[in-house]
Amino acid sequence: MFEVRATDLAGRIGKLKMRRGFINTPAILPVVHPLKQIIHPSELKKIGFEAIMTNAYITMKHYGEEAKKRGIHSILNFDGIIATDSGGYQVLEYGELDTTPIEIAKFQEAIGSDIAIVLDKPTGLNVSRKYAEETVKATILASKQTLNIKERKALWVGPIQGGKYLSLLKSSAKQMARLKFDLYALGSPTLVMENYDFKLLVKMITVVKQNLPLNKPLHLFGAGHPLTIPLAVALGCDLFDSASYILYARDDRYITSKGTVRLEDLYYLECSCPICSTHTLNELKSLDKIEREKKIALHNLYVLKNEINATKQAIEEGRLWEYLSMKARSHPKLWEAFILLNKYYRYLEDGTPLFKPRALFFFNYIDQMRPEVIRYNERLILDVEIPLEREILILIPEVDYNTLMRITTLHKRLDEYLGINSKKIQICFLSYPYGVIPEELADLYPLTQYESSLHIDTQIEVLKLTLKRLNKFLMKKAFQKIILVNNNKFYSPLIKMLQRKIKNCVIIDAMNESISKIIDKIANQIIGLKS
Amino acid sequence: MFEVRATDLAGRIGKLKMRRGFINTPAILPVVHPLKQIIHPSELKKIGFEAIMTNAYITMKHYGEEAKKRGIHSILNFDGIIATDSGGYQVLEYGELDTTPIEIAKFQEAIGSDIAIVLDKPTGLNVSRKYAEETVKATILASKQTLNIKERKALWVGPIQGGKYLSLLKSSAKQMARLKFDLYALGSPTLVMENYDFKLLVKMITVVKQNLPLNKPLHLFGAGHPLTIPLAVALGCDLFDSASYILYARDDRYITSKGTVRLEDLYYLECSCPICSTHTLNELKSLDKIEREKKIALHNLYVLKNEINATKQAIEEGRLWEYLSMKARSHPKLWEAFILLNKYYRYLEDGTPLFKPRALFFFNYIDQMRPEVIRYNERLILDVEIPLEREILILIPEVDYNTLMRITTLHKRLDEYLGINSKKIQICFLSYPYGVIPEELADLYPLTQYESSLHIDTQIEVLKLTLKRLNKFLMKKAFQKIILVNNNKFYSPLIKMLQRKIKNCVIIDAMNESISKIIDKIANQIIGLKS
């Protein structure tokens, strides 16, 4: 029912199949009001939205039996996928609902919802733990009651509540995981995102995902913001619903790839959607409120669609990490969330392909902790065996294709020079992005397939982490002598640090030296060792 | 003739007026072929391009007298601004031209060019210094000859050549500055940008701008790339010409905000321009070559237009630095260029407004070196006088509005406690973004108007630079005693460092303490001092 086609980090491009058809994920479901839509669902379909969400409770209160007769697709005049929210969220705003989980569940089935949601009790953000526990209990009870209903044709969503209490979210997810839902959803209190508390969002999503079956999609409630979507997708969210496109428009807020701008603060249209390419900014600003709201809402939808597509393109290219890192420079609070990701290595590494079509990008020490690099270092320490007889380590900075070619020459010539003694030599590359790379591994992806500014923008953290990785390697295999070949000025700071911190090591000055000269110097060190 | 309306860094939003009308800058001028245009100039006008560029030499060779009779606007059926290139660039590809500077200059005047370019001798990139010097000489000679022509109605562009030889560019600019051109242009060898050598581009643009009159626009030849434009605008380039939109399309390359993608590597359309919102990706890929080329070219134009507008919006918001920093995470080579900017502080500070409508963003140590911060520190050291009698320095981490309020209370209560001795106290804030902020300055923009992740992502460089700034402040004014109030866990690493490096200082543990308690502790330190 849920096919995953491509992954990067914990993000996945998938296909959620159901009776009526399917949704390509990740996807945003625009929220529409069952009674009156500023943008009609048929327009949403034209724009490219395969699925929308509406409110079952309001539908039931207003249409009642008529809705059961006609069906929700007829009422909304939309033949794509319709997800119905139980109305649980209304509770946060309007207080108790006049219905029960079973009643609203049967109603959603009766009106032909393709995706239906249990009548949950949303936790909200600034509530006591005790209250949060109650909402989790109530939601689980409602979930069990709902799943007891025999005639179920819709795909059913199990909502995970718990607010900001991570341990509650965890136990809520564990319990809900035992119930046979088709999808799960995370209640992300809108306040989290209004406060740009992306760090908390990272923690919430990961604790829930790590306790739910991975083969079921996860829906993130109410997350229609260009900064939230890529991060949430990378953490494993597959579906989003959003009324933001209309709520922002109502507030004269125009969505960009970086956030939102008040129309009065907008001077230039940096978008070419059907609205922005057919109106000047002044024309837009001069429209009457109702017309303006509709047009900005349309523009907002296009931007959100673009954001989903840009994120999917990044997954296909294997560049989701890079895309997040760029997005994270839109706001310091998003940056704080991004740098938290390296703590979830194991969770993110799983979906990160071993081979990607493109080079990896490295900008600063955070990129030295990206999944591919940690994975490489784990395998280096756990799986790679350096033959015992190799007592001498030759460390050469950086690796690129040219250096690889020269090193092959280097090794051959050392063989000629030293004869049988060349068996005592292990050549490794020193690499700011990766750490230590034994010569034999150097042509494995992505060890030479990268672009990096670490050697230009070399922060102390970069040096320290590289040194730490070298130390780990040296703890794995002790060498009698370490020869540092200083042939790259960008590695001089590292080499100086190594000289201070590592025993038994000697530096060979090789700046601009020919291969012959370098071999002479290395050989001298080695021969000198024998005597 | 060139009015500047808004600035940030060295970028400016302006209006270049001429006979026929005006161009809003920054602006890209799409290059069109005088004989056959894939996208007709009238379509370019509809898209929103006020000005285009075409080739005078090809026009002359092909149309000859007819061009003089009809005029270039009639030939291209475009009534906006037309800039004509002399054909100098053809030399790099086709060898010598069959014309002279005076002939092609008179021709450009005769056909009614709004903006005309001297027949220069482009330097190119991988050439000897000697050859580069010749091209500079030839260009200056041609410039003088051109400016001798009496009947000149067009705006004339003086091309600055010199290739990658910065000293040559400097002398070329100085000499050209003495000639009365309306605009200048920098020959940026396309190889610079093809190699993504943005660092070299930064050096080339700045050396030239620093030797040209600032009130004349600068045109950057051949720079139609989404990564180049924001950087070049920030450095002071006002005009761009680009055939890239069509050259990329011819090569099935699709421009995005991050660079270009081959159509075959594109899986999702992250754009909603009139082309992308009316075709599926498969439809686009299936078009025959000619139709596909045209449509991708149109899409490319929309993206370039969006890029110019996004850059202009950033200038209006005073967020050009932030925009560059985000863009720079698109490619490590662009990041290398971005971190170079802090070396051009004085050049970039001039156009950076003292007051901006928004908060500043800080992500890492590079942002501690942005113009507003260096400017603040210069003024702190040069202009601010701390009264001599203030012998005691109280350092309190971070400043935000709440802290400000509490500190006002703190100071009042210290006054009550210590009486006349409170005159001996100077309260300063310690701030990762800014350094040291005397209490009296704290409500000046932008000292509290910022968002920062420096306290979360605290690299050693951040600590060191803050310490350096504190030391500079202490060299300006010596204090008998320094009291560090440790009330912010994020500043503990800094305070530990300070304790080791700064004499006469004592730490007061104030984590979660009430104001009263903190005052007690401070007062004890001070009274203890008296005895």
Side-chain angles (χ1 to χ4, degrees):
Chain A
M1 193 187 330
F2 181 51
E3 273 173 24
V4 171
R5 209 176 58 65
T7 65
D8 196 8
L9 301 176
R12 54 252 186 115
I13 292 175
K15 202 162 182 160
L16 178 60
K17 294 180 178 167
M18 59 204 85
R19 216 179 6 168
R20 182 174 283 264
F22 58 85
I23 305 176
N24 289 302
T25 68
I28 295 185
L29 279 60
V31 171
V32 302
H33 198 281
L35 306 183
K36 181 187 152 165
Q37 304 95 36
I38 310 285
I39 295 169
H40 198 271
S42 54
E43 278 193 86
L44 295 173
K45 189 167 188 132
K46 278 209 209 94
I47 294 173
F49 291 97
E50 302 171 314
I52 60 178
M53 180 178 284
T54 195
N55 189 297
Y57 180 73
I58 298 175
T59 305
M60 185 170 77
K61 284 299 159 193
H62 185 92
Y63 287 102
E65 286 305 309
E66 184 194 350
K68 291 187 192 179
K69 251 187 258 158
R70 291 174 60 188
I72 190 67
H73 292 80
S74 163
I75 286 179
L76 291 181
N77 192 15
F78 182 78
D79 65 355
I81 306 293
I82 297 181
T84 47
D85 194 11
S86 57
Y89 189 64
Q90 311 303 113
V91 170
L92 284 179
E93 292 210 34
Y94 303 119
E96 284 305 314
L97 296 185
D98 176 25
T99 184
T100 66
I102 292 182
E103 182 185 38
I104 195 72
K106 287 185 170 175
F107 183 76
Q108 292 179 76
E109 285 287 350
I111 63 174
S113 301
D114 300 293
I115 299 173
I117 302 176
V118 166
L119 180 61
D120 56 345
K121 198 157 174 140
T123 312
L125 188 62
N126 292 319
V127 300
S128 68
R129 193 189 164 98
K130 188 165 187 295
Y131 179 78
E133 284 172 5
E134 284 170 26
T135 63
V136 169
K137 273 209 195 93
T139 300
I140 292 174
L141 179 60
S143 296
K144 288 178 177 167
Q145 292 173 338
T146 301
L147 291 178
N148 268 340
I149 296 170
K150 296 257 179 275
E151 277 286 311
R152 285 186 291 112
K153 293 190 184 155
L155 291 190
W156 274 91
V157 180
I160 316 290
Q161 295 293 343
K164 64 183 181 186
Y165 298 100
L166 301 178
S167 52
L168 254 187
L169 285 170
K170 179 174 180 176
S171 90
S172 169
K174 275 185 181 307
Q175 292 182 74
M176 294 291 278
R178 287 189 219 118
L179 305 177
K180 295 210 184 314
F181 280 104
D182 303 297
L183 303 89
Y184 294 90
L186 173 57
S188 50
T190 16
L191 271 181
V192 174
M193 283 171 303
E194 269 169 39
N195 294 342
Y196 271 29
D197 201 345
F198 297 111
K199 267 199 311 191
L200 178 55
L201 194 64
V202 169
K203 296 174 187 175
M204 288 168 62
I205 296 173
T206 43
V207 74
V208 160
K209 283 283 303 189
Q210 286 169 321
N211 290 284
L212 286 175
L214 282 177
N215 64 338
K216 303 276 173 77
L218 180 67
H219 181 109
L220 185 63
F221 280 133
H225 189 285
L227 297 188
T228 311
I229 288 165
L231 179 65
V233 168
L235 292 166
C237 295
D238 307 287
L239 293 162
F240 305 87
D241 65 281
S242 177
S244 71
Y245 72 101
I246 197 90
L247 296 175
Y248 283 141
R250 192 158 293 164
D251 200 33
D252 265 335
R253 282 191 163 275
Y254 175 101
I255 300 182
T256 71
S257 63
K258 297 198 295 298
T260 67
V261 191
R262 299 197 72 94
L263 200 62
E264 62 195 5
D265 295 330
L266 200 58
Y267 295 83
Y268 306 95
L269 292 174
E270 52 190 88
C271 169
S272 299
C273 76
I275 299 300
C276 299
S277 61
T278 54
H279 295 71
T280 65
L281 186 51
N282 280 338
E283 281 167 7
L284 265 182
K285 289 183 181 186
S286 318
L287 293 170
D288 68 74
K289 180 91 179 95
I290 292 180
E291 187 66 11
R292 193 167 74 238
E293 189 176 306
K294 173 167 181 173
K295 295 204 154 142
I296 294 178
L298 276 166
H299 155 83
N300 287 347
L301 280 168
Y302 278 109
V303 177
L304 290 174
K305 184 168 93 93
N306 289 349
E307 192 52 61
I308 285 275
N309 280 355
T311 305
K312 289 166 80 170
Q313 177 69 20
I315 292 176
E316 294 280 1
E317 293 179 350
R319 285 257 173 91
L320 188 53
W321 175 272
E322 284 84 350
Y323 186 58
L324 285 185
S325 130
M326 189 196 77
K327 226 47 185 181
R329 299 300 270 208
S330 297
H331 198 281
K333 284 204 164 291
L334 190 57
W335 182 258
E336 289 179 26
F338 174 67
I339 62 171
L340 204 55
L341 293 185
N342 74 84
K343 303 224 179 314
Y344 298 99
Y345 158 70
R346 210 151 299 287
Y347 173 61
L348 298 174
E349 188 261 336
D350 214 39
T352 302
L354 282 168
F355 299 98
K356 294 181 159 185
R358 298 287 175 84
L360 305 193
F361 286 169
F362 291 84
F363 298 90
N364 77 337
Y365 79 98
I366 275 296
D367 301 304
Q368 285 175 307
M369 296 189 273
R370 56 183 297 174
E372 296 90 336
V373 179
I374 298 184
R375 170 163 61 198
Y376 162 72
N377 277 281
E378 277 199 338
R379 290 183 180 193
L380 176 68
I381 299 305
L382 291 174
D383 297 344
V384 173
E385 293 298 333
I386 309 289
L388 272 169
E389 64 264 22
R390 297 193 190 175
E391 306 171 336
I392 302 165
L393 175 64
I394 300 179
L395 280 173
I396 306 177
E398 202 70 60
V399 57
D400 56 43
Y401 199 66
N402 288 337
T403 318
L404 253 184
M405 292 293 95
R406 293 173 74 222
I407 295 315
T408 316
T409 315
L410 180 83
H411 210 155
K412 268 202 205 136
R413 305 265 292 269
L414 278 171
D415 278 345
E416 292 162 8
Y417 229 96
L418 300 164
I420 196 141
N421 288 319
S422 74
K423 288 201 193 316
K424 298 192 175 184
I425 295 170
Q426 173 64 50
I427 297 181
C428 284
F429 298 106
L430 268 179
S431 162
Y432 284 141
Y434 300 101
V436 182
I437 304 175
E439 177 194 10
E440 296 81 354
L441 301 181
D443 48 15
L444 287 180
Y445 182 91
L447 302 173
T448 50
Q449 291 88 347
Y450 68 90
E451 297 262 8
S452 166
S453 55
L454 293 179
H455 60 295
I456 302 285
D457 189 16
T458 315
Q459 301 140 57
I460 294 173
E461 273 79 2
V462 169
L463 299 175
K464 287 170 73 173
L465 187 47
T466 312
L467 177 59
K468 183 173 164 190
R469 286 174 166 158
L470 175 61
N471 273 329
K472 266 199 164 167
F473 179 73
L474 295 177
M475 284 197 307
K476 173 185 167 69
K477 166 89 173 78
F479 293 92
Q480 203 184 21
K481 186 161 193 168
I482 298 170
I483 300 173
L484 298 165
V485 178
N486 193 5
N487 66 337
N488 184 330
K489 63 177 180 176
F490 298 116
Y491 279 73
S492 293
L494 178 67
I495 287 180
K496 283 199 189 84
M497 202 188 255
L498 292 184
Q499 203 182 14
R500 285 193 321 261
K501 307 252 179 176
I502 296 188
K503 304 189 172 123
N504 314 329
C505 88
V506 69
I507 298 181
I508 285 181
D509 175 22
M511 292 295 181
N512 304 316
E513 296 272 28
S514 66
I515 283 270
S516 306
K517 211 75 171 78
I518 297 174
I519 286 167
D520 274 343
K521 292 186 178 185
I522 292 175
N524 281 342
Q525 285 295 331
I526 294 171
I527 291 165
L529 189 73
K530 285 191 63 46
S531 56
Chain B
M1 194 186 331
F2 182 50
E3 274 172 24
V4 171
R5 207 175 60 64
T7 65
D8 196 9
L9 301 179
R12 56 254 185 114
I13 293 175
K15 203 162 181 158
L16 178 60
K17 293 178 176 168
M18 59 203 86
R19 214 176 12 166
R20 182 174 283 264
F22 59 86
I23 304 176
N24 288 303
T25 68
I28 295 185
L29 280 61
V31 170
V32 303
H33 197 280
L35 305 182
K36 180 187 155 167
Q37 304 94 33
I38 310 284
I39 294 168
H40 198 270
S42 53
E43 279 193 85
L44 295 173
K45 192 170 185 127
K46 279 210 209 96
I47 295 173
F49 290 97
E50 303 172 312
I52 59 178
M53 180 178 284
T54 194
N55 188 298
Y57 180 74
I58 298 175
T59 306
M60 186 171 75
K61 285 297 157 192
H62 186 89
Y63 287 101
E65 286 304 309
E66 185 194 349
K68 292 186 191 177
K69 249 186 259 155
R70 291 174 58 189
I72 190 67
H73 292 80
S74 162
I75 286 180
L76 291 181
N77 192 15
F78 182 78
D79 65 356
I81 305 294
I82 297 182
T84 47
D85 192 11
S86 56
Y89 188 65
Q90 312 304 114
V91 170
L92 283 180
E93 292 209 33
Y94 303 118
E96 284 305 314
L97 298 183
D98 176 24
T99 184
T100 65
I102 293 181
E103 181 184 41
I104 195 73
K106 286 186 171 175
F107 182 77
Q108 292 179 76
E109 285 288 349
I111 63 176
S113 301
D114 300 294
I115 298 173
I117 303 177
V118 164
L119 180 60
D120 56 344
K121 198 160 173 136
T123 311
L125 187 62
N126 292 319
V127 299
S128 68
R129 193 188 163 98
K130 191 167 186 295
Y131 178 78
E133 284 171 5
E134 285 170 24
T135 61
V136 169
K137 273 207 195 95
T139 301
I140 292 172
L141 179 61
S143 298
K144 289 178 177 168
Q145 291 173 339
T146 302
L147 292 178
N148 269 338
I149 295 171
K150 296 255 178 280
E151 276 287 309
R152 284 187 291 112
K153 293 191 184 153
L155 291 190
W156 275 92
V157 180
I160 315 292
Q161 295 293 344
K164 63 183 182 186
Y165 298 99
L166 302 178
S167 52
L168 252 188
L169 285 169
K170 179 175 182 176
S171 90
S172 171
K174 275 184 180 308
Q175 292 180 74
M176 294 291 277
R178 286 186 220 121
L179 305 177
K180 296 210 183 315
F181 280 104
D182 304 299
L183 302 90
Y184 294 91
L186 172 56
S188 51
T190 17
L191 270 182
V192 174
M193 283 171 303
E194 270 170 40
N195 293 341
Y196 272 28
D197 200 345
F198 297 110
K199 268 200 309 193
L200 178 56
L201 194 64
V202 169
K203 296 175 187 173
M204 288 168 61
I205 296 173
T206 43
V207 74
V208 160
K209 282 284 303 189
Q210 286 171 320
N211 290 284
L212 286 175
L214 281 177
N215 64 339
K216 303 275 172 77
L218 179 66
H219 180 110
L220 185 62
F221 280 133
H225 190 283
L227 298 188
T228 311
I229 288 164
L231 180 66
V233 168
L235 293 166
C237 295
D238 309 287
L239 293 163
F240 304 87
D241 65 282
S242 177
S244 72
Y245 71 102
I246 198 90
L247 296 176
Y248 283 141
R250 191 157 295 164
D251 200 32
D252 266 335
R253 284 193 162 274
Y254 175 101
I255 300 181
T256 72
S257 62
K258 298 197 298 295
T260 68
V261 191
R262 299 196 72 91
L263 201 61
E264 63 195 6
D265 296 331
L266 201 56
Y267 295 83
Y268 307 95
L269 292 174
E270 53 191 87
C271 169
S272 299
C273 76
I275 299 300
C276 299
S277 61
T278 54
H279 295 71
T280 65
L281 186 50
N282 280 337
E283 281 167 6
L284 264 182
K285 289 183 181 185
S286 318
L287 293 169
D288 68 75
K289 181 91 180 94
I290 292 179
E291 187 66 12
R292 192 168 76 238
E293 190 175 306
K294 172 168 182 174
K295 294 203 155 145
I296 294 178
L298 276 165
H299 155 82
N300 288 346
L301 280 169
Y302 279 108
V303 177
L304 291 174
K305 184 168 92 92
N306 290 348
E307 193 51 63
I308 285 275
N309 279 354
T311 306
K312 289 166 79 170
Q313 177 69 20
I315 292 176
E316 293 281 0
E317 293 180 348
R319 285 257 173 93
L320 189 53
W321 175 271
E322 284 83 353
Y323 186 57
L324 285 185
S325 131
M326 189 195 77
K327 229 42 187 189
R329 299 299 270 210
S330 297
H331 198 284
K333 284 206 162 291
L334 189 57
W335 182 257
E336 290 180 26
F338 174 66
I339 63 171
L340 204 54
L341 294 185
N342 74 85
K343 304 225 179 312
Y344 297 99
Y345 158 67
R346 210 151 299 287
Y347 173 62
L348 298 174
E349 188 261 338
D350 214 40
T352 303
L354 282 167
F355 300 97
K356 294 180 159 185
R358 299 285 175 85
L360 305 194
F361 285 169
F362 291 84
F363 298 91
N364 77 338
Y365 78 99
I366 276 295
D367 302 305
Q368 286 175 305
M369 296 190 272
R370 56 184 296 176
E372 296 91 338
V373 179
I374 298 184
R375 172 164 58 201
Y376 162 73
N377 277 281
E378 278 201 336
R379 290 186 181 191
L380 175 69
I381 300 304
L382 292 174
D383 298 343
V384 173
E385 293 297 335
I386 308 290
L388 274 169
E389 65 264 21
R390 297 193 187 176
E391 306 171 335
I392 302 165
L393 174 64
I394 300 178
L395 279 174
I396 307 176
E398 202 68 57
V399 56
D400 56 43
Y401 199 66
N402 289 335
T403 318
L404 253 183
M405 292 292 94
R406 294 174 74 220
I407 295 315
T408 315
T409 315
L410 181 83
H411 211 156
K412 268 202 204 137
R413 304 265 292 268
L414 277 172
D415 278 345
E416 292 162 8
Y417 229 95
L418 301 165
I420 196 136
N421 288 318
S422 74
K423 287 199 193 317
K424 298 194 176 182
I425 295 170
Q426 173 65 48
I427 297 180
C428 283
F429 298 106
L430 268 179
S431 162
Y432 284 141
Y434 300 100
V436 182
I437 305 175
E439 177 195 10
E440 296 82 353
L441 301 183
D443 49 14
L444 287 181
Y445 181 92
L447 302 174
T448 51
Q449 292 86 349
Y450 67 89
E451 298 261 9
S452 167
S453 55
L454 293 179
H455 61 295
I456 302 284
D457 189 15
T458 315
Q459 299 142 57
I460 294 173
E461 272 80 2
V462 169
L463 299 174
K464 287 170 74 173
L465 187 46
T466 312
L467 177 61
K468 183 172 164 189
R469 286 174 166 158
L470 174 61
N471 273 327
K472 267 200 163 165
F473 180 71
L474 296 175
M475 285 198 305
K476 173 185 166 67
K477 165 90 173 79
F479 293 91
Q480 203 183 21
K481 187 161 193 168
I482 299 170
I483 301 173
L484 299 164
V485 179
N486 194 4
N487 67 339
N488 184 331
K489 62 176 180 176
F490 297 116
Y491 278 73
S492 293
L494 178 67
I495 286 180
K496 283 200 189 83
M497 202 186 256
L498 291 185
Q499 201 182 15
R500 285 196 319 263
K501 309 252 179 176
I502 297 188
K503 303 189 171 121
N504 314 329
C505 88
V506 68
I507 298 181
I508 284 180
D509 175 21
M511 292 293 183
N512 305 315
E513 298 272 29
S514 65
I515 283 273
S516 305
K517 212 72 173 82
I518 297 175
I519 287 166
D520 274 343
K521 293 186 177 186
I522 294 176
N524 280 342
Q525 286 295 329
I526 294 169
I527 291 166
L529 190 73
K530 287 192 62 47
S531 54

